[in-house]
Amino acid sequence: MQADAAALIGAGLAYGLAAIGPGVGIGIVVGNAVQAMVRQPEMAGQVRTTMFLGIAFTEALALFGLLLFFILFGAA
Amino acid sequence: MTVPILAQIVEVPSNVNHLFDWPAVLPFGINRVVLLMFLATLVTFLFLYLPFRQPRVVPSKMGVVVETLVNFVRNGIARDIIGPESAKYEWLLIPMFFWLLFLNLFEITPLIHFPVTSRMAIPAFLAGLVWVTFVFVGLKKHGLSYIKNSVIPPGVPKPLLVLVIPIDFLSTFVIRPISLAVRLFANMIAGHIMLAVFFLTTASYFVFEPKIVAFAIPLAFAIVITAFEIFVAVLQAYIFTLLTAVYIESSINVEH
């Protein structure tokens, strides 16, 4: 019973904490990409591709947290 | 025989348990997910084949659409990332992009409402295929020095290698396919749960509290999220293909 409660609290914390870093990270990635596109509009296409790559790598961390949520939720 | 299959495809379940549990309906463990995969394969084939059945100088309207999309994958993903050798890997990238696109778009297709890629088996298999491809490309091009070069970055001091080699080995050969599969899977499952939450909230307010102010808010959210999910479906197919191209490129030019 107490182990279940601990797993549920852990599930909530896992996703909530995992979302903080990638949230900040994606903000930095997209912000700098916008800056680069404004400064050099002719490079916009390449910058956009790289931006999506950066978002994908950063976002993976948050998604690991989501996965952990499912695992812990199933364990409870 | 065909009627139960059709009923399986268009059946709308009453809760989200089908994300985690789906019984087989045909022999060989064929269940709804497998049927939808067959459907997506058929749609991909028809999408790429039908507009070009009769060759003509000016393509039909559908042909223009398909040509634009194929060109986008071939030039925007394969050639931009991999470079001059990209033509060798189009057999993987182009069908994979369209197959994933249709599998993802089943999430918001009326009467289907099931993102097939939210079952871990499909992204995991595709990530395994990508893993085999980029390791094979690297080994074929550089021999065994591919593994050495991909775990030892140039210019690292000798004592640090104890730390760097395990980290680089893990990140290249273990984390890469896992994160590739998990990214697609978790995005689609999160979107599906979000849609289910808002639509079920709307439905229960509509039944138990039939006032316009009560169910209008979740309904509005549900509509906005449906539009967002179309974007996510296209973006995830794009990112999966893009990362495949990036991994293949990193196997070809492993030196830097």
Side-chain angles (χ1 to χ4, degrees):
Chain A
M1 192 67 191
Q2 275 179 342
D4 286 0
L8 284 174
I9 292 171
L13 281 180
Y15 186 59
L17 293 177
I20 296 175
V24 176
I26 291 176
I28 292 173
V29 169
V30 178
N32 283 328
V34 168
Q35 217 169 43
M37 281 190 240
V38 169
R39 288 190 183 183
Q40 275 187 308
E42 63 271 25
M43 294 295 285
Q46 216 170 337
V47 170
R48 196 171 297 118
T49 309
T50 318
M51 179 186 82
F52 279 127
L53 267 184
I55 291 176
F57 285 131
T58 319
E59 180 195 48
L61 299 172
L63 296 174
F64 282 139
L66 180 68
L67 206 64
L68 211 58
F69 170 82
F70 285 125
I71 292 169
L72 289 171
F73 199 75
Chain B
M1 195 66 178
T2 54
V3 174
I5 291 177
L6 195 65
Q8 273 297 316
I9 286 176
V10 300
E11 183 180 341
V12 178
S14 53
N15 53 38
V16 292
N17 283 344
H18 65 284
L19 278 177
F20 307 104
D21 177 38
W22 201 277
V25 293
L26 287 178
F28 302 109
I30 290 180
N31 53 17
R32 187 175 187 224
V33 180
V34 180
L35 289 175
L36 287 173
M37 273 164 67
F38 289 158
L39 182 66
T41 313
L42 188 70
V43 170
T44 309
F45 173 73
L46 293 179
F47 187 73
L48 292 175
Y49 172 72
L50 274 189
F52 305 105
R53 203 175 26 172
Q54 298 145 338
R56 37 179 154 174
V57 179
V58 181
S60 58
K61 277 179 193 159
M62 205 53 210
V64 174
V65 173
V66 176
E67 264 184 21
T68 313
L69 284 171
V70 169
N71 263 330
F72 167 71
V73 179
R74 198 173 64 185
N75 299 340
I77 299 178
R79 198 174 297 163
D80 275 11
I81 303 281
I82 301 178
E85 285 184 62
S86 67
K88 273 200 251 170
Y89 308 104
E90 281 165 8
W91 63 270
L92 176 67
L93 297 174
I94 292 174
M96 194 167 76
F97 175 78
F98 286 107
W99 198 58
L100 278 176
L101 183 66
F102 291 125
L103 287 182
N104 289 351
L105 282 178
F106 281 161
E107 185 181 14
I108 40 89
T109 307
L111 301 180
I112 296 179
H113 296 296
F114 182 71
V116 186
T117 38
S118 71
R119 295 299 296 258
M120 190 58 184
I122 292 114
F125 165 73
L126 281 173
L129 184 68
V130 170
W131 188 85
V132 169
T133 309
F134 79 75
V135 171
F136 182 77
V137 167
L139 286 178
K140 198 178 163 208
K141 191 132 181 115
H142 303 284
L144 279 179
S145 69
Y146 161 65
I147 294 181
K148 189 183 129 244
N149 285 335
S150 54
V151 298
I152 303 176
V156 175
K158 276 262 154 52
L160 268 184
L161 283 180
V162 184
L163 206 62
V164 166
I165 287 178
I167 292 176
D168 262 27
F169 184 83
L170 271 181
S171 84
T172 309
F173 295 108
V174 181
I175 305 289
R176 256 185 195 182
I178 292 177
S179 75
L180 192 62
V182 165
R183 181 177 299 117
L184 181 59
F185 157 77
N187 262 299
M188 298 324 286
I189 207 169
H192 191 67
I193 288 176
M194 215 150 59
L195 282 176
V197 164
F198 282 108
F199 276 116
L200 291 180
T201 315
T202 311
S204 61
Y205 270 128
F206 192 76
V207 173
F208 298 116
E209 186 89 24
K211 292 185 201 141
I212 186 79
V213 285
F215 66 80
I217 295 166
L219 184 62
F221 268 103
I223 292 168
V224 170
I225 288 173
T226 306
F228 178 66
E229 284 309 313
I230 299 175
F231 170 71
V232 168
V234 177
L235 188 72
Q236 288 308 315
Y238 169 67
I239 282 182
F240 199 96
T241 320
L242 187 73
L243 284 174
T244 306
V246 168
Y247 294 158
I248 290 174
E249 194 271 343
S250 75
S251 300
I252 293 175
N253 305 318
V254 75
E255 271 84 12
H256 59 258

